[in-house]
Amino acid sequence: MSSLIASTRFSVLDRSRVREGHDTPEALRDTVRLAEEAEALGFHRFWVSEHHGVPGVAGSAPTVLAAAVAAATGTIRVGTGGVMLPNHQPLVVAEQFGVLESLFPGRIDLGVGRSVGFTEGIRRALGRGRQAAADFAGQLDELLGWLDGSQRIHPQVHALPAEGLRIPPFVLATGEGAGIAAAAGLPLVAGDLRDREKLSGTVERYRREFRPSAWAARPYVIVAGTVALAASTSQARRILIPEAWSLAHSRTHGVFPPLAPAEQIEARPMTDKERHLYERGLRGQLHGTEDEVAGQLDAVIERTGADEVLVTTSTFDRAALVDSLRRLARTARLTPRPRGARTRPDGPRAVS
């Protein structure tokens, strides 16, 4: 194992993807089970995501799901990757995370993003338009004010029980959002790993513009993306196939389908456009044997200076996904945790 990998944290995000032949509730239960595996393997944190009205994604209420994950685990940090702030009132987000931190002290992360609903119909149902993301910087500032008690927009209103609790915020962003994270002095989550040049540019801008804050004294970078390990390169590639097809289908039909088995997708006839998008979805992903992925991770960490890698892999075969995480944990020499262990929270840190 290289010194770069040894000095890097590794974490997991699960998007609660629905699989063919399995219903939506099972996808949520799969997420909780995967969190238990990630904790036992020694991953640093486990995050869940927010998607509304997407047939192939079950995770629509990330704070509720995070509570279930935290209740099923005992030591791993738990959070969101992320709550899409333009969809919510910052006060409500602060209150929800205050409840989570109160119930699971020292373990909760508040990851926020600036995306709005996937379609116009979803945005209307949420009461938001595309322009809702335009004031992300202001929404973020208000949220932080609710957490530390400094907000003055609403005099004599307090976000209880959040106010005064130490809930580390993170910003999921690229481009303009990276500048917002830097100006706020918050840790940055940037992806995806396929476009290394764009990823490096995002990280460089963030570091260049970063201003120390009460939340983080220095830049903290989490790079996020697909990482798939297996006994052979071809087996690792098969882990990538269901998500690559789902993305290709969404871009040609406007709907994310449930994940299908790799062999079914490989036998499927595709239009030229579908084939192009599908093959593009397979390119550039970190995948292979343990030795191959170790080399790829070394290159990414060296180029970006990442403090942490957030694995976002989705696939139909959950056993293969768990095996991939086990191989990654072995590659990174993570320290396993006993299942069901509970720890007292450490003192406050700028970035946990």
Side-chain angles (χ1 to χ4, degrees):
M1 179 179 62
S2 75
S3 58
L4 281 176
I5 293 176
S7 62
T8 303
R9 287 169 165 169
F10 285 83
S11 299
V12 177
L13 181 147
D14 191 60
R15 294 196 297 276
S16 304
R17 295 290 270 112
V18 181
R19 298 176 292 152
E20 283 193 8
H22 303 264
D23 61 19
T24 301
E26 184 174 356
L28 297 172
R29 295 191 293 269
D30 283 344
T31 292
V32 176
R33 284 190 286 265
L34 190 65
E36 293 174 310
E37 291 286 351
E39 176 176 69
L41 291 169
F43 285 91
H44 182 61
R45 62 181 105 241
F46 188 94
W47 282 2
V48 298
S49 62
E50 175 183 337
H51 297 272
H52 297 282
V54 180
V57 186
S60 58
T63 53
V64 178
L65 185 53
V69 167
T73 56
T75 56
I76 195 168
R77 295 196 64 86
V78 176
T80 53
V83 165
M84 295 302 139
L85 198 50
N87 292 336
H88 309 279
Q89 291 295 335
L91 168 62
V92 175
V93 175
E95 289 173 335
Q96 290 173 341
F97 278 85
V99 171
L100 284 171
E101 175 63 20
S102 298
L103 293 173
F104 309 101
R107 295 179 55 207
I108 299 301
D109 299 325
L110 171 51
V112 297
R114 63 191 300 225
S115 296
V116 291
F118 182 60
T119 66
E120 184 61 33
I122 293 170
R123 289 190 290 272
R124 284 197 302 269
L126 290 169
R128 299 291 189 271
R130 285 186 180 274
Q131 73 282 359
D135 189 33
F136 179 65
Q139 296 159 355
L140 180 62
D141 184 63
E142 182 182 341
L143 174 62
L144 298 178
W146 288 118
L147 295 177
D148 65 15
S150 66
Q151 75 81 27
R152 298 293 179 265
I153 301 173
H154 306 282
Q156 299 182 327
V157 181
H158 300 272
L160 301 176
E163 188 175 298
L165 296 180
R166 190 67 181 179
I167 309 169
F170 299 76
V171 176
L172 284 69
T174 56
E176 202 61 34
I180 293 171
L186 298 181
L188 175 72
V189 184
D192 66 45
L193 295 175
R194 288 177 301 172
D195 192 338
R196 311 288 169 78
E197 185 173 345
K198 182 178 179 181
L199 177 61
S200 296
T202 295
V203 170
E204 287 168 8
R205 175 182 179 180
Y206 166 72
R207 287 205 173 95
R208 185 174 62 250
E209 298 179 8
F210 183 86
R211 298 192 309 201
S213 72
W215 301 103
R218 65 172 185 85
Y220 189 88
V221 174
I222 302 176
V223 295
T226 296
V227 182
L229 294 84
S232 68
T233 308
S234 60
Q235 287 175 309
R237 184 181 182 276
R238 289 178 67 79
I239 294 174
L240 308 176
I241 286 173
E243 184 71 8
W245 166 248
S246 180
L247 289 170
H249 188 277
S250 75
R251 292 189 173 120
T252 50
H253 300 275
V255 176
F256 276 92
L259 297 176
E263 59 272 15
Q264 177 181 317
I265 294 165
E266 290 176 315
R268 184 191 301 270
M270 298 183 193
T271 66
D272 289 344
K273 183 175 182 180
E274 287 173 340
R275 175 68 61 181
H276 170 73
L277 291 168
Y278 166 68
E279 291 178 350
R280 190 173 74 179
L282 292 171
R283 286 195 295 269
Q285 307 282 19
L286 272 64
H287 75 285
T289 64
E290 291 169 44
D291 286 343
E292 289 170 339
V293 170
Q296 296 167 28
L297 284 169
D298 258 344
V300 168
I301 295 167
E302 182 175 19
R303 182 166 183 176
T304 62
D307 299 282
E308 186 171 339
V309 174
L310 180 65
V311 178
T312 64
T313 310
S314 295
T315 193
F316 177 86
D317 188 341
R318 299 293 286 192
L321 178 59
V322 170
D323 179 68
S324 176
L325 291 179
R326 287 175 181 157
R327 292 174 183 275
L328 177 58
R330 187 161 58 228
T331 299
R333 296 191 183 173
L334 303 184
T335 302
R337 299 180 179 97
R339 292 181 184 271
R342 294 291 187 271
T343 59
R344 293 179 62 85
D346 296 330
R349 295 178 54 190
V351 177
S352 296

